[in-house]
Amino acid sequence: TKSTKATREMDPQDDTGSIREKESDSKQYKSSFLGLLIRNRNYRLFLSSYLFSHGGEWLTYVASISVIESILGGQTSRTAISILIVVRLLPNVLLSSIGGTLADSRDRRESMILLSLVHSFIPFFYILAGYWASIPMVYLVTFLQECVAALNEPCKSAIVNQLVDNEEDLQKATALTGVSWSCMAAIGSSVGGFVAASYGPNVCFLMDSSLFLCSAGMLYAMEGKYNTAEKESAGYGNVCERITEMTREAFQYLSGKFWWPLVLMKASSALMYGVSDVLNVSFSENGDGDRDEKLGILFAFVGMGCLVGLFVSDAFTSVSRIQSLQWAGIVSLGFSTIGSFGMGMMGSFHWLCFFTLVRSAGSSGTWINSSVLLQLFAAPEKMGRVLALDGALSLLLEATSAMLCGYLQDDLGLGPQAVSLLVSGIGSVLFSLWCCYHWTGRGATSQEAAAFMQQIAEDKADKRTLTEQTPLI
């Protein structure tokens, strides 16, 4: 036992790829966002890669909307935009089990590098779609791009747990990963709107390709192995059998856990924010000003709201009080409801931006806290599949919500304000249900959760004692 511990102190990874605690580092820097970034080189590189990739995705998203509108002669079809959103989300639902299996059966870093390189070639087909003025080709290229993203996303989510060495850093890392998405939503969307309006959407597509090449470079610079399933995958046959069996195991694993309803928390929020992109396109057409620039501004406020949600949530939560994470996620759902209600009641663009910020802050809080809870509760070897299922359910409801939003506006004639009020009503029901879940002692407030956290604390104390007693070799 002593020799094993000494080896782990010298080698930051064991044979499963799980990063081990380094007490000297933890003592040197306080557990904070800055401390995590200073001492953890691999996480810095991963975060840089994450920023590059999501920045590119937002550039392409805004540019693809611009291409569709230009093909339609400057007119906007909510149904066309809704179809684009559904096409973007559908691969994540269809391929979630494959992506989760990939994350749990292969080296996550190597998979992410390969998929980033593949992604870097796809934006050139958007340029062809615009040249041929083909909306179906825009949808086809979007579907192809999102298929690659669907395989990549479970690897991105699951690797975070391997890059940190304690539960406090896990909370910070998950939050920082979320805020990276927020930053790119704010920066990438606003830059995309400006570039598309000033230089044309093709420049956005070229920037997307370059950013994914940079993302692959950051991942290549990371050190270590990130495969958690050498032993587990040995008993499977061909690829189809492996996917089927590993997916079945994931459902069996979840069904026996006290925290399984938490997989639905992010999906509850997705049912509300799924309409936001379609509504933002509609709101951007109201009043004076360039439509692309106004759309970019609204997306920028989405990103800023996510930043606000991150820091407010972090101020009132702690892994040591795990029930605070669950309650913060539920309260954030309430803020999403308030934001949707305000968007439906206020007519000016300035108020619209403010309540967009409130709504997205709530969505961010729910996303971050539900993600931290799943990262804490799920076993490392099941992490990819659990997070893939969590993402698939969220995206399925997001796509359904987006499609219904387009139908309500184009076919039933409802305005964006009316749809926002309808969404706030749905949010009120969901908020009430989750409050009942929390107050009746379920999930993170249950006795099982308390015992789980007690076991983590005891294991941590045992590790610390063993480290102090064992000299480093």
Side-chain angles (χ1 to χ4, degrees):
T1 303
K2 290 185 177 182
S3 62
T4 302
K5 181 61 184 179
T7 303
R8 288 175 176 172
E9 289 294 334
M10 296 176 66
D11 184 358
Q13 293 180 314
D14 66 2
D15 59 348
T16 66
S18 178
I19 307 300
R20 294 295 173 180
E21 295 192 53
K22 300 173 189 165
E23 294 294 334
S24 59
D25 285 345
S26 299
K27 292 176 182 178
Q28 185 176 358
Y29 296 107
K30 182 181 177 181
S31 180
S32 65
F33 293 114
L34 181 59
L36 172 63
L37 292 174
I38 289 174
R39 70 176 181 269
N40 195 325
R41 176 181 179 272
N42 280 346
Y43 181 74
R44 285 199 309 273
L45 291 169
F46 166 76
L47 193 63
S48 299
S49 168
Y50 196 89
L51 285 166
F52 285 132
S53 62
H54 281 282
E57 288 177 354
W58 274 101
L59 285 169
T60 296
Y61 183 32
V62 175
S64 61
I65 293 175
S66 179
V67 168
I68 290 175
E69 291 178 342
S70 66
I71 293 174
L72 292 173
Q75 299 179 350
T76 300
S77 168
R78 281 79 174 178
T79 300
I81 302 301
S82 297
I83 293 173
L84 176 67
I85 294 171
V86 171
V87 169
R88 291 183 74 246
L89 300 176
L90 191 59
N92 293 275
V93 178
L94 298 177
L95 301 180
S96 64
S97 60
I98 300 176
T101 301
L102 177 67
D104 287 341
S105 61
R106 301 295 180 190
D107 187 286
R108 291 163 180 168
R109 169 179 159 272
E110 294 177 358
S111 297
M112 290 161 60
I113 292 173
L114 176 61
L115 292 169
S116 294
L117 291 174
V118 172
H119 191 127
S120 68
F121 289 99
I122 297 176
F124 293 100
F125 293 99
Y126 279 110
I127 298 176
L128 289 177
Y131 179 77
W132 290 330
S134 172
I135 292 179
M137 186 172 179
V138 173
Y139 293 152
L140 178 62
V141 177
T142 299
F143 184 84
L144 178 62
Q145 186 180 52
E146 293 305 316
C147 283
V148 177
L151 297 176
N152 205 358
E153 194 59 36
C155 296
K156 290 181 181 179
S157 301
I159 201 173
V160 174
N161 188 275
Q162 294 176 280
L163 293 171
V164 296
D165 51 26
N166 58 64
E167 292 76 25
E168 290 76 14
D169 278 354
L170 175 61
Q171 182 183 13
K172 302 297 183 186
T174 303
L176 275 177
T177 304
V179 80
S180 299
W181 184 94
S182 307
C183 288
M184 288 303 101
I187 298 172
S189 58
S190 56
V191 170
F194 172 77
V195 172
S198 303
Y199 304 103
N202 288 350
V203 177
C204 293
F205 298 137
L206 294 175
M207 292 173 66
D208 179 23
S209 178
S210 300
L211 287 171
F212 266 89
L213 288 175
C214 293
S215 175
M218 294 295 104
L219 293 169
Y220 182 79
M222 288 171 56
E223 298 175 348
K225 297 292 184 181
Y226 299 90
N227 191 344
T228 63
E230 292 94 340
K231 298 176 182 178
E232 185 178 343
S233 61
Y236 299 139
N238 59 40
V239 174
C240 291
E241 290 177 354
R242 175 177 297 182
I243 293 171
T244 301
E245 183 63 22
M246 292 184 74
T247 301
R248 183 185 63 81
E249 287 179 359
F251 278 100
Q252 288 181 341
Y253 171 75
L254 271 177
S255 64
K257 299 300 179 182
F258 67 90
W259 46 267
W260 72 264
L262 294 175
V263 176
L264 304 175
M265 180 177 285
K266 195 181 298 179
S268 300
S269 180
L271 188 60
M272 298 178 60
Y273 67 67
V275 303
S276 61
D277 289 353
V278 182
L279 292 180
N280 284 340
V281 173
S282 299
F283 281 126
S284 69
E285 298 173 343
N286 297 336
D288 300 326
D290 184 84
R291 179 176 53 198
D292 287 339
E293 289 186 4
K294 289 172 69 177
L295 181 60
I297 290 172
L298 286 174
F299 280 142
F301 271 90
V302 170
M304 288 187 286
C306 292
L307 287 172
V308 172
L310 163 71
F311 291 112
V312 171
S313 177
D314 183 68
F316 292 97
T317 59
S318 172
V319 173
S320 61
R321 295 179 291 109
I322 193 170
Q323 66 274 12
S324 68
L325 298 173
Q326 181 170 289
W327 181 236
I330 296 171
V331 171
S332 296
L333 194 62
F335 276 101
S336 295
T337 302
I338 294 172
S340 296
F341 181 78
M343 292 172 67
M345 295 298 294
M346 301 299 175
S348 74
F349 187 73
H350 295 88
W351 278 110
L352 177 64
C353 290
F354 172 75
F355 280 108
T356 295
L357 186 146
V358 173
R359 181 199 58 75
S360 59
S363 299
S364 173
T366 302
W367 189 95
I368 290 171
N369 288 289
S370 63
S371 296
V372 173
L373 287 169
L374 292 179
Q375 292 265 13
L376 284 171
F377 286 139
E381 65 274 11
K382 301 291 192 303
M383 187 79 67
R385 284 163 286 175
V386 170
L387 296 179
L389 177 60
D390 173 56
L393 290 173
S394 301
L395 292 169
L396 177 62
L397 290 181
E398 183 180 351
T400 302
S401 179
M403 201 66 201
L404 286 175
C405 180
Y407 171 76
L408 290 173
Q409 291 188 83
D410 282 349
D411 294 347
L412 298 186
L414 294 182
Q417 287 85 1
V419 176
S420 296
L421 291 175
L422 178 61
V423 170
S424 68
I426 296 173
S428 299
V429 175
L430 294 172
F431 175 72
S432 300
L433 291 174
W434 278 107
C435 284
C436 293
Y437 177 80
H438 184 83
W439 291 335
T440 53
R442 308 291 179 86
T445 60
S446 65
Q447 294 181 354
E448 292 93 337
F452 180 87
M453 295 306 296
Q454 179 64 30
Q455 185 62 48
I456 289 180
E458 292 176 359
D459 292 345
K460 209 170 174 185
D462 291 342
K463 283 184 179 180
R464 188 178 297 111
T465 300
L466 188 57
T467 301
E468 292 172 352
Q469 295 176 350
T470 305
L472 297 182
I473 298 175

